[in-house]
Amino acid sequence: MYCPRCDACATVTPHPEIPADKKAADYGSLDVHRLRCTGCGFFKDRKVDSAVVGSPVDPYFQRPVWLQTSCCGHVLRAYNVRHLDLLEAYVGARLRERGELVPWAPMSLVERLPTWLKVVKNRTEILRTIRRLRSALPAGG
């Protein structure tokens, strides 16, 4: 996503001081996430009780996503490197069997991918676009 201070690439991660094994209920049923800019070092924490995924903005901080570009007449976007990994694994797979492609991703996420991402004729262009998006990430991004 774009940093609210300098417009460089920023990342959003679960808050680093909240142990991963703690439940959201321990924190008032809220997810706590941190935005950190890779350019200027700006950071901001936010507690969110719900997040809407699927729009061109980060679901926690409502900032435009960094990883988006045109592809096959549509906009290909990813929220982070892990999302790019999922898209690449899915699009690049020759055989797409339920639950075997990306074991860490819920199947419902893959099922909600738009049809143009699933069509074999777009595979080469989508994979090329994913490589281009990866190259746009700052070092360590």
Side-chain angles (χ1 to χ4, degrees):
M1 86 161 66
Y2 286 86
C3 172
R5 180 182 286 164
C6 73
D7 273 345
C9 182
T11 59
V12 175
T13 57
H15 194 282
E17 295 173 11
I18 297 175
D21 61 345
K22 292 288 184 183
K23 295 183 178 135
D26 297 335
Y27 293 91
S29 298
L30 301 174
D31 268 341
V32 182
H33 282 73
R34 174 167 284 175
L35 175 152
R36 179 171 300 278
C37 178
T38 56
C40 69
F42 172 80
F43 76 92
K44 182 177 184 177
D45 296 332
R46 175 161 287 161
K47 296 176 186 176
V48 182
D49 57 0
S50 67
V52 177
V53 178
S55 67
V57 297
D58 171 77
Y60 299 102
F61 291 89
Q62 302 303 306
R63 298 288 302 159
V65 296
W66 181 268
L67 298 169
Q68 64 178 324
T69 191
S70 62
C71 178
C72 302
H74 300 274
V75 176
L76 176 65
R77 69 177 60 95
Y79 293 110
N80 51 41
V81 173
R82 193 167 178 182
H83 192 188
L84 270 182
D85 292 343
L86 167 85
L87 294 173
E88 186 173 44
Y90 181 81
V91 172
R94 299 290 178 202
L95 180 62
R96 299 173 180 165
E97 293 189 20
R98 290 179 84 83
E100 293 184 17
L101 266 178
V102 190
W104 51 263
M107 193 60 198
S108 61
L109 181 93
V110 172
E111 290 169 345
R112 288 191 308 248
L113 290 174
T115 302
W116 70 270
L117 271 170
K118 299 176 183 182
V119 177
V120 173
K121 72 176 185 175
N122 294 335
R123 176 181 284 145
T124 302
E125 181 61 26
I126 294 168
L127 292 174
R128 184 177 21 253
T129 302
I130 289 171
R131 284 191 298 275
R132 195 169 65 238
L133 284 174
R134 281 189 196 282
S135 70
L137 288 167

